[in-house]
PDB file of all heavy atoms in Angstrom:
ATOM      1  N   THR I 149    -148.417 -17.910   5.824  1.00  0.00           N
ATOM      2  CA  THR I 149    -147.263 -18.796   5.878  1.00  0.00           C
ATOM      3  C   THR I 149    -146.066 -17.964   6.332  1.00  0.00           C
ATOM      4  O   THR I 149    -145.841 -16.859   5.833  1.00  0.00           O
ATOM      5  CB  THR I 149    -146.985 -19.410   4.497  1.00  0.00           C
ATOM      6  OG1 THR I 149    -148.031 -20.322   4.174  1.00  0.00           O
ATOM      7  CG2 THR I 149    -145.660 -20.141   4.478  1.00  0.00           C
ATOM      8  N   MET I 150    -145.300 -18.491   7.271  1.00  0.00           N
ATOM      9  CA  MET I 150    -144.132 -17.779   7.781  1.00  0.00           C
ATOM     10  C   MET I 150    -142.866 -18.540   7.402  1.00  0.00           C
ATOM     11  O   MET I 150    -142.821 -19.777   7.510  1.00  0.00           O
ATOM     12  CB  MET I 150    -144.213 -17.636   9.300  1.00  0.00           C
ATOM     13  CG  MET I 150    -145.406 -16.856   9.784  1.00  0.00           C
ATOM     14  SD  MET I 150    -145.458 -15.168   9.138  1.00  0.00           S
ATOM     15  CE  MET I 150    -143.952 -14.478   9.850  1.00  0.00           C
ATOM     16  N   GLY I 151    -141.889 -17.813   6.947  1.00  0.00           N
ATOM     17  CA  GLY I 151    -140.643 -18.442   6.529  1.00  0.00           C
ATOM     18  C   GLY I 151    -139.430 -17.776   7.137  1.00  0.00           C
ATOM     19  O   GLY I 151    -139.470 -16.605   7.519  1.00  0.00           O
ATOM     20  N   TRP I 152    -138.379 -18.558   7.237  1.00  0.00           N
ATOM     21  CA  TRP I 152    -137.051 -18.038   7.587  1.00  0.00           C
ATOM     22  C   TRP I 152    -136.130 -18.261   6.394  1.00  0.00           C
ATOM     23  O   TRP I 152    -136.065 -19.368   5.838  1.00  0.00           O
ATOM     24  CB  TRP I 152    -136.490 -18.768   8.811  1.00  0.00           C
ATOM     25  CG  TRP I 152    -137.117 -18.371  10.102  1.00  0.00           C
ATOM     26  CD1 TRP I 152    -138.113 -19.020  10.771  1.00  0.00           C
ATOM     27  CD2 TRP I 152    -136.782 -17.232  10.886  1.00  0.00           C
ATOM     28  NE1 TRP I 152    -138.428 -18.356  11.925  1.00  0.00           N
ATOM     29  CE2 TRP I 152    -137.613 -17.256  12.031  1.00  0.00           C
ATOM     30  CE3 TRP I 152    -135.856 -16.197  10.762  1.00  0.00           C
ATOM     31  CZ2 TRP I 152    -137.556 -16.270  13.020  1.00  0.00           C
ATOM     32  CZ3 TRP I 152    -135.806 -15.228  11.753  1.00  0.00           C
ATOM     33  CH2 TRP I 152    -136.638 -15.267  12.866  1.00  0.00           C
ATOM     34  N   PHE I 153    -135.452 -17.190   6.013  1.00  0.00           N
ATOM     35  CA  PHE I 153    -134.474 -17.236   4.942  1.00  0.00           C
ATOM     36  C   PHE I 153    -133.131 -16.796   5.507  1.00  0.00           C
ATOM     37  O   PHE I 153    -133.057 -16.207   6.577  1.00  0.00           O
ATOM     38  CB  PHE I 153    -134.874 -16.288   3.798  1.00  0.00           C
ATOM     39  CG  PHE I 153    -136.031 -16.773   2.985  1.00  0.00           C
ATOM     40  CD1 PHE I 153    -137.332 -16.692   3.460  1.00  0.00           C
ATOM     41  CD2 PHE I 153    -135.836 -17.309   1.720  1.00  0.00           C
ATOM     42  CE1 PHE I 153    -138.414 -17.143   2.714  1.00  0.00           C
ATOM     43  CE2 PHE I 153    -136.904 -17.760   0.955  1.00  0.00           C
ATOM     44  CZ  PHE I 153    -138.187 -17.664   1.453  1.00  0.00           C
ATOM     45  N   ARG I 154    -132.073 -17.048   4.751  1.00  0.00           N
ATOM     46  CA  ARG I 154    -130.762 -16.543   5.151  1.00  0.00           C
ATOM     47  C   ARG I 154    -129.971 -16.153   3.911  1.00  0.00           C
ATOM     48  O   ARG I 154    -130.215 -16.660   2.818  1.00  0.00           O
ATOM     49  CB  ARG I 154    -129.993 -17.583   5.964  1.00  0.00           C
ATOM     50  CG  ARG I 154    -129.585 -18.840   5.202  1.00  0.00           C
ATOM     51  CD  ARG I 154    -128.972 -19.857   6.159  1.00  0.00           C
ATOM     52  NE  ARG I 154    -128.545 -21.063   5.474  1.00  0.00           N
ATOM     53  CZ  ARG I 154    -128.092 -22.152   6.097  1.00  0.00           C
ATOM     54  NH1 ARG I 154    -128.003 -22.174   7.439  1.00  0.00           N
ATOM     55  NH2 ARG I 154    -127.719 -23.204   5.398  1.00  0.00           N
ATOM     56  N   GLN I 155    -129.059 -15.228   4.125  1.00  0.00           N
ATOM     57  CA  GLN I 155    -128.218 -14.770   3.031  1.00  0.00           C
ATOM     58  C   GLN I 155    -126.803 -14.548   3.554  1.00  0.00           C
ATOM     59  O   GLN I 155    -126.587 -13.706   4.430  1.00  0.00           O
ATOM     60  CB  GLN I 155    -128.768 -13.483   2.425  1.00  0.00           C
ATOM     61  CG  GLN I 155    -128.057 -13.056   1.160  1.00  0.00           C
ATOM     62  CD  GLN I 155    -128.818 -11.982   0.408  1.00  0.00           C
ATOM     63  OE1 GLN I 155    -129.695 -11.305   0.952  1.00  0.00           O
ATOM     64  NE2 GLN I 155    -128.514 -11.838  -0.867  1.00  0.00           N
ATOM     65  N   ALA I 156    -125.883 -15.320   3.002  1.00  0.00           N
ATOM     66  CA  ALA I 156    -124.472 -15.184   3.336  1.00  0.00           C
ATOM     67  C   ALA I 156    -123.823 -14.225   2.341  1.00  0.00           C
ATOM     68  O   ALA I 156    -124.336 -14.033   1.233  1.00  0.00           O
ATOM     69  CB  ALA I 156    -123.795 -16.548   3.291  1.00  0.00           C
ATOM     70  N   PRO I 157    -122.714 -13.615   2.709  1.00  0.00           N
ATOM     71  CA  PRO I 157    -122.050 -12.667   1.791  1.00  0.00           C
ATOM     72  C   PRO I 157    -121.732 -13.312   0.447  1.00  0.00           C
ATOM     73  O   PRO I 157    -121.190 -14.417   0.381  1.00  0.00           O
ATOM     74  CB  PRO I 157    -120.775 -12.306   2.550  1.00  0.00           C
ATOM     75  CG  PRO I 157    -121.114 -12.510   3.978  1.00  0.00           C
ATOM     76  CD  PRO I 157    -122.034 -13.684   4.006  1.00  0.00           C
ATOM     77  N   GLY I 158    -122.111 -12.625  -0.610  1.00  0.00           N
ATOM     78  CA  GLY I 158    -121.829 -13.112  -1.954  1.00  0.00           C
ATOM     79  C   GLY I 158    -122.739 -14.209  -2.446  1.00  0.00           C
ATOM     80  O   GLY I 158    -122.543 -14.733  -3.541  1.00  0.00           O
ATOM     81  N   LYS I 159    -123.733 -14.562  -1.642  1.00  0.00           N
ATOM     82  CA  LYS I 159    -124.652 -15.642  -2.026  1.00  0.00           C
ATOM     83  C   LYS I 159    -126.078 -15.122  -2.121  1.00  0.00           C
ATOM     84  O   LYS I 159    -126.419 -14.083  -1.557  1.00  0.00           O
ATOM     85  CB  LYS I 159    -124.565 -16.801  -1.032  1.00  0.00           C
ATOM     86  CG  LYS I 159    -123.222 -17.495  -1.017  1.00  0.00           C
ATOM     87  CD  LYS I 159    -123.254 -18.730  -0.147  1.00  0.00           C
ATOM     88  CE  LYS I 159    -121.931 -19.474  -0.194  1.00  0.00           C
ATOM     89  NZ  LYS I 159    -121.957 -20.712   0.646  1.00  0.00           N
ATOM     90  N   GLU I 160    -126.917 -15.883  -2.805  1.00  0.00           N
ATOM     91  CA  GLU I 160    -128.321 -15.535  -2.921  1.00  0.00           C
ATOM     92  C   GLU I 160    -129.057 -15.876  -1.622  1.00  0.00           C
ATOM     93  O   GLU I 160    -128.647 -16.740  -0.857  1.00  0.00           O
ATOM     94  CB  GLU I 160    -128.960 -16.278  -4.095  1.00  0.00           C
ATOM     95  CG  GLU I 160    -128.422 -15.877  -5.449  1.00  0.00           C
ATOM     96  CD  GLU I 160    -129.184 -16.527  -6.593  1.00  0.00           C
ATOM     97  OE1 GLU I 160    -130.009 -17.418  -6.330  1.00  0.00           O
ATOM     98  OE2 GLU I 160    -128.965 -16.137  -7.745  1.00  0.00           O
ATOM     99  N   ARG I 161    -130.157 -15.187  -1.430  1.00  0.00           N
ATOM    100  CA  ARG I 161    -131.004 -15.490  -0.276  1.00  0.00           C
ATOM    101  C   ARG I 161    -131.651 -16.850  -0.491  1.00  0.00           C
ATOM    102  O   ARG I 161    -132.189 -17.131  -1.558  1.00  0.00           O
ATOM    103  CB  ARG I 161    -132.058 -14.396  -0.113  1.00  0.00           C
ATOM    104  CG  ARG I 161    -132.807 -14.462   1.185  1.00  0.00           C
ATOM    105  CD  ARG I 161    -133.652 -13.200   1.401  1.00  0.00           C
ATOM    106  NE  ARG I 161    -132.824 -11.996   1.473  1.00  0.00           N
ATOM    107  CZ  ARG I 161    -133.296 -10.812   1.808  1.00  0.00           C
ATOM    108  NH1 ARG I 161    -134.576 -10.668   2.137  1.00  0.00           N
ATOM    109  NH2 ARG I 161    -132.498  -9.763   1.839  1.00  0.00           N
ATOM    110  N   GLU I 162    -131.608 -17.676   0.534  1.00  0.00           N
ATOM    111  CA  GLU I 162    -132.143 -19.030   0.418  1.00  0.00           C
ATOM    112  C   GLU I 162    -133.078 -19.328   1.577  1.00  0.00           C
ATOM    113  O   GLU I 162    -132.907 -18.816   2.679  1.00  0.00           O
ATOM    114  CB  GLU I 162    -131.013 -20.071   0.415  1.00  0.00           C
ATOM    115  CG  GLU I 162    -130.186 -20.101   1.679  1.00  0.00           C
ATOM    116  CD  GLU I 162    -129.121 -21.188   1.677  1.00  0.00           C
ATOM    117  OE1 GLU I 162    -128.943 -21.859   0.648  1.00  0.00           O
ATOM    118  OE2 GLU I 162    -128.460 -21.347   2.714  1.00  0.00           O
ATOM    119  N   ILE I 163    -134.028 -20.201   1.288  1.00  0.00           N
ATOM    120  CA  ILE I 163    -134.963 -20.566   2.347  1.00  0.00           C
ATOM    121  C   ILE I 163    -134.293 -21.508   3.334  1.00  0.00           C
ATOM    122  O   ILE I 163    -133.454 -22.342   2.963  1.00  0.00           O
ATOM    123  CB  ILE I 163    -136.245 -21.208   1.775  1.00  0.00           C
ATOM    124  CG1 ILE I 163    -137.291 -21.342   2.888  1.00  0.00           C
ATOM    125  CG2 ILE I 163    -135.932 -22.542   1.115  1.00  0.00           C
ATOM    126  CD1 ILE I 163    -138.677 -21.610   2.400  1.00  0.00           C
ATOM    127  N   VAL I 164    -134.643 -21.352   4.593  1.00  0.00           N
ATOM    128  CA  VAL I 164    -134.188 -22.235   5.654  1.00  0.00           C
ATOM    129  C   VAL I 164    -135.342 -23.132   6.104  1.00  0.00           C
ATOM    130  O   VAL I 164    -135.206 -24.353   6.165  1.00  0.00           O
ATOM    131  CB  VAL I 164    -133.653 -21.422   6.849  1.00  0.00           C
ATOM    132  CG1 VAL I 164    -133.289 -22.337   8.008  1.00  0.00           C
ATOM    133  CG2 VAL I 164    -132.463 -20.577   6.428  1.00  0.00           C
ATOM    134  N   ALA I 165    -136.472 -22.508   6.402  1.00  0.00           N
ATOM    135  CA  ALA I 165    -137.637 -23.256   6.877  1.00  0.00           C
ATOM    136  C   ALA I 165    -138.877 -22.407   6.673  1.00  0.00           C
ATOM    137  O   ALA I 165    -138.798 -21.182   6.601  1.00  0.00           O
ATOM    138  CB  ALA I 165    -137.495 -23.630   8.351  1.00  0.00           C
ATOM    139  N   ALA I 166    -140.026 -23.072   6.595  1.00  0.00           N
ATOM    140  CA  ALA I 166    -141.293 -22.364   6.468  1.00  0.00           C
ATOM    141  C   ALA I 166    -142.391 -23.189   7.106  1.00  0.00           C
ATOM    142  O   ALA I 166    -142.318 -24.429   7.161  1.00  0.00           O
ATOM    143  CB  ALA I 166    -141.621 -22.090   5.004  1.00  0.00           C
ATOM    144  N   LYS I 167    -143.408 -22.488   7.575  1.00  0.00           N
ATOM    145  CA  LYS I 167    -144.516 -23.168   8.231  1.00  0.00           C
ATOM    146  C   LYS I 167    -145.806 -22.478   7.821  1.00  0.00           C
ATOM    147  O   LYS I 167    -145.961 -21.267   7.973  1.00  0.00           O
ATOM    148  CB  LYS I 167    -144.355 -23.118   9.743  1.00  0.00           C
ATOM    149  CG  LYS I 167    -145.165 -24.164  10.494  1.00  0.00           C
ATOM    150  CD  LYS I 167    -144.726 -24.234  11.937  1.00  0.00           C
ATOM    151  CE  LYS I 167    -145.311 -25.412  12.679  1.00  0.00           C
ATOM    152  NZ  LYS I 167    -144.858 -26.711  12.168  1.00  0.00           N
ATOM    153  N   SER I 168    -146.745 -23.250   7.311  1.00  0.00           N
ATOM    154  CA  SER I 168    -147.990 -22.669   6.815  1.00  0.00           C
ATOM    155  C   SER I 168    -148.931 -22.345   7.964  1.00  0.00           C
ATOM    156  O   SER I 168    -148.696 -22.708   9.102  1.00  0.00           O
ATOM    157  CB  SER I 168    -148.666 -23.628   5.843  1.00  0.00           C
ATOM    158  OG  SER I 168    -149.159 -24.757   6.547  1.00  0.00           O
ATOM    159  N   TRP I 169    -150.035 -21.682   7.624  1.00  0.00           N
ATOM    160  CA  TRP I 169    -151.014 -21.332   8.653  1.00  0.00           C
ATOM    161  C   TRP I 169    -151.643 -22.582   9.232  1.00  0.00           C
ATOM    162  O   TRP I 169    -151.677 -23.625   8.591  1.00  0.00           O
ATOM    163  CB  TRP I 169    -152.062 -20.395   8.084  1.00  0.00           C
ATOM    164  CG  TRP I 169    -152.993 -21.000   7.082  1.00  0.00           C
ATOM    165  CD1 TRP I 169    -152.687 -21.840   6.052  1.00  0.00           C
ATOM    166  CD2 TRP I 169    -154.391 -20.786   7.004  1.00  0.00           C
ATOM    167  NE1 TRP I 169    -153.806 -22.148   5.337  1.00  0.00           N
ATOM    168  CE2 TRP I 169    -154.870 -21.514   5.895  1.00  0.00           C
ATOM    169  CE3 TRP I 169    -155.290 -20.034   7.751  1.00  0.00           C
ATOM    170  CZ2 TRP I 169    -156.194 -21.502   5.535  1.00  0.00           C
ATOM    171  CZ3 TRP I 169    -156.620 -20.039   7.387  1.00  0.00           C
ATOM    172  CH2 TRP I 169    -157.053 -20.774   6.290  1.00  0.00           C
ATOM    173  N   TYR I 170    -152.065 -22.454  10.457  1.00  0.00           N
ATOM    174  CA  TYR I 170    -152.648 -23.562  11.207  1.00  0.00           C
ATOM    175  C   TYR I 170    -151.659 -24.720  11.375  1.00  0.00           C
ATOM    176  O   TYR I 170    -152.064 -25.833  11.682  1.00  0.00           O
ATOM    177  CB  TYR I 170    -153.933 -24.076  10.590  1.00  0.00           C
ATOM    178  CG  TYR I 170    -155.081 -23.129  10.722  1.00  0.00           C
ATOM    179  CD1 TYR I 170    -156.121 -23.140   9.792  1.00  0.00           C
ATOM    180  CD2 TYR I 170    -155.162 -22.211  11.765  1.00  0.00           C
ATOM    181  CE1 TYR I 170    -157.182 -22.272   9.914  1.00  0.00           C
ATOM    182  CE2 TYR I 170    -156.211 -21.344  11.899  1.00  0.00           C
ATOM    183  CZ  TYR I 170    -157.227 -21.375  10.959  1.00  0.00           C
ATOM    184  OH  TYR I 170    -158.278 -20.523  11.073  1.00  0.00           O
ATOM    185  N   ASN I 171    -150.344 -24.452  11.175  1.00  0.00           N
ATOM    186  CA  ASN I 171    -149.281 -25.450  11.388  1.00  0.00           C
ATOM    187  C   ASN I 171    -149.488 -26.726  10.575  1.00  0.00           C
ATOM    188  O   ASN I 171    -149.044 -27.800  10.974  1.00  0.00           O
ATOM    189  CB  ASN I 171    -149.177 -25.803  12.866  1.00  0.00           C
ATOM    190  CG  ASN I 171    -148.805 -24.613  13.699  1.00  0.00           C
ATOM    191  OD1 ASN I 171    -148.143 -23.715  13.224  1.00  0.00           O
ATOM    192  ND2 ASN I 171    -149.257 -24.588  14.934  1.00  0.00           N
ATOM    193  N   SER I 172    -150.127 -26.630   9.427  1.00  0.00           N
ATOM    194  CA  SER I 172    -150.445 -27.858   8.709  1.00  0.00           C
ATOM    195  C   SER I 172    -149.282 -28.381   7.874  1.00  0.00           C
ATOM    196  O   SER I 172    -149.161 -29.581   7.660  1.00  0.00           O
ATOM    197  CB  SER I 172    -151.663 -27.654   7.825  1.00  0.00           C
ATOM    198  OG  SER I 172    -151.422 -26.635   6.882  1.00  0.00           O
ATOM    199  N   ILE I 173    -148.433 -27.484   7.395  1.00  0.00           N
ATOM    200  CA  ILE I 173    -147.333 -27.909   6.529  1.00  0.00           C
ATOM    201  C   ILE I 173    -146.047 -27.223   6.979  1.00  0.00           C
ATOM    202  O   ILE I 173    -146.037 -26.032   7.263  1.00  0.00           O
ATOM    203  CB  ILE I 173    -147.606 -27.525   5.065  1.00  0.00           C
ATOM    204  CG1 ILE I 173    -148.912 -28.165   4.575  1.00  0.00           C
ATOM    205  CG2 ILE I 173    -146.439 -27.956   4.177  1.00  0.00           C
ATOM    206  CD1 ILE I 173    -149.327 -27.706   3.202  1.00  0.00           C
ATOM    207  N   THR I 174    -144.962 -28.003   7.018  1.00  0.00           N
ATOM    208  CA  THR I 174    -143.662 -27.465   7.384  1.00  0.00           C
ATOM    209  C   THR I 174    -142.627 -27.888   6.353  1.00  0.00           C
ATOM    210  O   THR I 174    -142.666 -29.013   5.851  1.00  0.00           O
ATOM    211  CB  THR I 174    -143.231 -27.980   8.770  1.00  0.00           C
ATOM    212  OG1 THR I 174    -144.215 -27.623   9.741  1.00  0.00           O
ATOM    213  CG2 THR I 174    -141.897 -27.365   9.190  1.00  0.00           C
TER     214      THR I 174
END
Side-chain angles (χ1 to χ4, degrees):
T149 291
M150 299 301 297
W152 285 98
F153 287 76
R154 66 186 181 186
Q155 188 166 18
K159 295 187 177 181
E160 294 186 351
R161 191 169 298 188
E162 62 177 6
I163 190 165
V164 175
K167 200 168 190 65
S168 70
W169 69 317
Y170 290 153
N171 298 331
S172 60
I173 301 173
T174 302

